Amino acid sequence: MSTIGFIGLGQMGSPMAANLIKGGHSLQVFDVNADAVAQMVTLGAVAAQTPGQAASQADFVVTMLPNGDLVRKVIFADDGVISTLSKQALIIDMSTIHPFETDALISDLSLQGFEMMEAPVGRTSVHAIKGELLILAGGTKSQIERAQPLFDCMGSETIDAGGPGKGIRVKIINNYMSIALNALSAEAATLSEAIGLEFEDAMKVMSGTPAGNGHFTTTWPGKVLAGDLSPAFMVDHAHKDLGIALDLANQVNVPMPCGAASRELYSITRAAGRGRQDWTSVFEQLRVTSGLEAKIK
Amino acid sequence: MSTIGFIGLGQMGSPMAANLIKGGHSLQVFDVNADAVAQMVTLGAVAAQTPGQAASQADFVVTMLPNGDLVRKVIFADDGVISTLSKQALIIDMSTIHPFETDALISDLSLQGFEMMEAPVGRTSVHAIKGELLILAGGTKSQIERAQPLFDCMGSETIDAGGPGKGIRVKIINNYMSIALNALSAEAATLSEAIGLEFEDAMKVMSGTPAGNGHFTTTWPGKVLAGDLSPAFMVDHAHKDLGIALDLANQVNVPMPCGAASRELYSITRAAGRGRQDWTSVFEQLRVTSGLEAKIK
Amino acid sequence: MSTIGFIGLGQMGSPMAANLIKGGHSLQVFDVNADAVAQMVTLGAVAAQTPGQAASQADFVVTMLPNGDLVRKVIFADDGVISTLSKQALIIDMSTIHPFETDALISDLSLQGFEMMEAPVGRTSVHAIKGELLILAGGTKSQIERAQPLFDCMGSETIDAGGPGKGIRVKIINNYMSIALNALSAEAATLSEAIGLEFEDAMKVMSGTPAGNGHFTTTWPGKVLAGDLSPAFMVDHAHKDLGIALDLANQVNVPMPCGAASRELYSITRAAGRGRQDWTSVFEQLRVTSGLEAKIK
Amino acid sequence: MSTIGFIGLGQMGSPMAANLIKGGHSLQVFDVNADAVAQMVTLGAVAAQTPGQAASQADFVVTMLPNGDLVRKVIFADDGVISTLSKQALIIDMSTIHPFETDALISDLSLQGFEMMEAPVGRTSVHAIKGELLILAGGTKSQIERAQPLFDCMGSETIDAGGPGKGIRVKIINNYMSIALNALSAEAATLSEAIGLEFEDAMKVMSGTPAGNGHFTTTWPGKVLAGDLSPAFMVDHAHKDLGIALDLANQVNVPMPCGAASRELYSITRAAGRGRQDWTSVFEQLRVTSGLEAKIK
Ligand SMILES: NC(=O)c1ccc[n+]([C@@H]2O[C@H](COP(=O)([O-])OP(=O)(O)OC[C@H]3O[C@@H](n4cnc5c(N)ncnc54)[C@H](O)[C@@H]3O)[C@@H](O)[C@H]2O)c1
Ligand SMILES: NC(=O)c1ccc[n+]([C@@H]2O[C@H](COP(=O)([O-])OP(=O)(O)OC[C@H]3O[C@@H](n4cnc5c(N)ncnc54)[C@H](O)[C@@H]3O)[C@@H](O)[C@H]2O)c1
Ligand SMILES: NC(=O)c1ccc[n+]([C@@H]2O[C@H](COP(=O)([O-])OP(=O)(O)OC[C@H]3O[C@@H](n4cnc5c(N)ncnc54)[C@H](O)[C@@H]3O)[C@@H](O)[C@H]2O)c1
Ligand SMILES: NC(=O)c1ccc[n+]([C@@H]2O[C@H](COP(=O)([O-])OP(=O)(O)OC[C@H]3O[C@@H](n4cnc5c(N)ncnc54)[C@H](O)[C@@H]3O)[C@@H](O)[C@H]2O)c1
């Protein structure tokens, strides 16, 4: 069992800390919100007055804070984590922050002889309460191994994201995709209603197509990911159908900004001479537009 | 077995016609491309010189053409389908066209005593060849029943979309969602590569979250579809994470226009006072922004 | 003085027709709205029952209709304009329609021996009433010359756009720019208010910069239009400042979808290696992204 | 004549500092780039080893740095500006940074008894060299008065933006508008070329319309700014014309993401029941969508 400094007792941090206590660990907790600290004390935690006090004699320090500026502050402030932390301890930042901030924290700490890994979490506060978070571990093999007992208290699954900084990168990509997809889904569902479809009828169809199942495991593997852009469904046809949907939406006053933006990406793809390629070539084209090297001849 | 006028022998129409012949039907085929007609003749079809000739004495006329203007033209032109068609016959438009054009065709034909239903198809030319298309049937129960033997030659699954005009509506919604999603997926995958992630590692995580599985069957049913907007994951947090991803993308020069557009939808949602609601409230908000009546108090 | 068939007596067409009558011309008017026709008759016009009747024995036929499908219909229908029109007459379409429809109309009419030019109008119904429209004439020199007396009744300025089809092209470009700019202006003004600025104070500054005066006559001529991309203001800096504005807007809940989209265009420009070029290189880059040949080495 | 600590000798800072020296002021300069410092010394400046040294005994400290994090760092670091600065001195930040960072800097400094104003600049490095910058002064009347002699060395025009924090706000709004407008202009000009227009011909027309002159001083004052939304040009027509332009662009492969985004704003405006209002109501609608109070009944 370890001594853990835990900083940030919000919607996520509180249940995570509670589960660490339940797991038998000794917690020294800090939050600017005194109520949150007090409540954790009733569960057996020791209250700290500063981040430094929470870190004192700890084997691990876990941070679960709103953003990277605050993570930096609680670590580097005069009364911050490293004002007391042992150089044998491991800092684990579990917040969702900007990956370049994570990189900078790891490297700035390393210059002063401290070790940090990141382990942002997937799923929601409901899962935090049940100890069923998805842990996206970014660190060396040995750091992850060392932190695993803590992760096992807070989550039901740990994914080794492939090295330091990779955990937060995977987290941001995953969130990007799911958050933007939520908005796109809202567009499709709203248009569906506006043109008189029952949502269930539309869903029934979409649940059997890439509309409902995504492209990563359906259309992409045999095509763009395999380096084959011969058309199963042409960019030109996709572009046409998108045009119909957008015209329709604009006639019935459903704003579809995500879809409208996507049409311009197909337009870029056509301008690059890919109109008769498979629609998955939008990925290859965006790679090229982003300055990455073309992968497919 | 029926006599079928088939008009439009392209990438899709040719294999569909071939499968009807294989199914024992008599085909009278027309296309402006003489080669396409000739090839179908080798399979047993009768060549027609005009759409009207193809429709003459037919039980069904199937159209599989690039757009609605052409469908209208082959039907209503001087030498068009209805210049010869029996009023007992059924026209089945299987093209992907604008739903309001479908509505207009059905109603204009009806005024002259002709019957039309629509049955656009899902999947790709590969499936057309194998007779494994998904048929999205829009028509009355009796029209669909009557057309079923034809559908069974061309597809492996028929979905009754709920009435005339509903087949093409479901088709357009499904295509909208899958085509825009393809572009959004390209953004996520390109960013992933640009920040040094292995695509497989990112996919592994996304395959277990709404990023890979969509929202319709995961986050929405318990929340916005159930009328519950208490937060499992807050709009404000989603908005924040999207901001991180977009900042990151802009630092590494990956254009993400779909995601950028989606952030502004979250902004609209926040402006409406929904920042602390569940992120699925983006759907409810877009409904309201589109002038639909609020569903959730 | 001429005999003119005038078709389409709406918000614009009615005052335009009235001004032609005032100018001494004989008008034969048609509209599906009988009231509009009746009112024009009180001003001295002759009512026609069909487009064909309006065109009969006319020197000119003017169309001022909502869209290109209707223009085609009134011209080519069984009782349409060309059912009676003299081959010496000139059709002038003054509607705002799709340029490719204009092209098709001109060429389809030409095949049957009829002449059409287009002359869409700038400004508003207020100007239509005063006879102060801006006429964007697309036609041969001799067509424009022939139509000039009519234009002089309806407008205060005629611009020869450079040939057949050019009038409608200039019109669409001009409208695109002014309509999208209106939305962008709304974004800037709303953000301004949301962060506590008096609109007048912000305007005062913008009236002296490209923000208020546009780029075509300020930043572009000495730079991208002159083939010089050495930086007066760098793409990288523009991109940075846009990022600040969008972050700010997202903090105060002002959706700025146009600006958000523009940031991704700067991102594309940076990805192409132009970060340290002058910001006007966004134009050159968009040309290249559109598949046009690079102009600047 | 004053003693001035000047920090940030880049493309802008160097000529600004040079002009202060030319104006007779004593400069103590700091930059992390030693070459930039050395060059300023040849013009008569005194080199400082730290920001603190530059600020020592200074009447003013001017900062001209890439971003707000750096401004904060040079001011608050252990060897930063306030480690030596007199409480009678005035800090003037002339960088373009996030307005909320400006607010925080002013208030954090004020807590420690120091005074700061901001004065970001308009125009380019060419104007910096000639001493012809536009100074957007954000501060109290007395601060601006005090700083005026410095501004007169660096700029040809000072605008009092209306109080502390207003200078940077005006700057950001102005830059937002001009930078996004540059991208939008690129779209219009590229489409123009792609459909075969001479740029000069399109410009000729636009120079006489809101497309070239903006809306703030043309269409808005008599309409939305005057509380009058009776239509000179209807939202519905604007929306239609935008649709034509976007369809055209998508046919000729010119991506127009800004315009596409703007169409969805018009769609929101129509959904709110404003289709028959004047197009300037897009501003009023965006205000409402942003959660600001409606101004027009
Ligand atoms: N809520 C979710 O569903 C969810 C899911 C996955 C990841 N996340 C991420 O987890 C992190 C935390 O989220 P949350 O929902 O718990 O946020 P929260 O706002 O509920 O909690 C943040 C806590 O940090 C505390 N805090 C702020 N400044 C502090 C300081 N200087 N010192 C000490 N404590 C301070 C606050 O008082 C608060 O208790 C965020 O990065 C979020 O993006 C959240
Ligand atoms: N290709 C796919 O994967 C796919 C999938 C689902 C739906 N669709 C839809 O199916 C329809 C047909 O697609 P396709 O891929 O076969 O297109 P295609 O371009 O390959 O074929 C269209 C055919 O129509 C013919 N045609 C054009 N004008 C004609 C006229 N006036 N009279 C007679 N024939 C005419 C052409 O000569 C051509 O043979 C489209 O609406 C498309 O959106 C295609
Ligand atoms: N309103 C403006 O400020 C403005 C400015 C410049 C250009 N325009 C363009 O001018 C054109 C006309 O605009 P408007 O504002 O007068 O529109 P409107 O809707 O007021 O008038 C259109 C007229 O056409 C008639 N019409 C429709 N179908 C017809 C048919 N089949 N046969 C005969 N008449 C028919 C209608 O009854 C109506 O009177 C449009 O293309 C518009 O884009 C308008
Ligand atoms: N370039 C323009 O046309 C223009 C126009 C208006 C406003 N601005 C704004 O002016 C500011 C400066 O722009 P610029 O073009 O001169 O940038 P620049 O990058 O040329 O110069 C920045 C200078 O700051 C120095 N610097 C960086 N970190 C430092 C530190 N910690 N301590 C001391 N010096 C440090 C750099 O060495 C460099 O000399 C920016 O905020 C920019 O947005 C620029």
Side-chain angles (χ1 to χ4, degrees), chain A residues 233 237 240, chain B residues 9-12 31 64-65 70 96 121 123:
Chain A
F233 184 54
H237 282 137
K240 173 201 108 169
Chain B
L9 302 167
Q11 214 192 344
M12 297 295 287
D31 196 295
M64 191 59 179
L65 294 160
L70 289 173
T96 305
V121 302
R123 300 175 192 155

Side-chain angles (χ1 to χ4, degrees), chain A residues 232-234 237 240-241 276, chain B residues 7-14 30-33 36 51 64-67 70 73-74 94-97 120-125 133 171 175:
Chain A
F233 184 54
M234 268 183 213
H237 282 137
K240 173 201 108 169
D241 290 356
R276 301 187 67 80
Chain B
I7 300 169
L9 302 167
Q11 214 192 344
M12 297 295 287
S14 285
F30 177 71
D31 196 295
V32 290
N33 176 349
M64 191 59 179
L65 294 160
N67 61 55
L70 289 173
K73 196 176 137 190
V74 303
M94 303 189 75
S95 326
T96 305
I97 70 172
V121 302
R123 300 175 192 155
T124 69
S125 54
L133 291 170
K171 171 70 182 165
N175 278 24

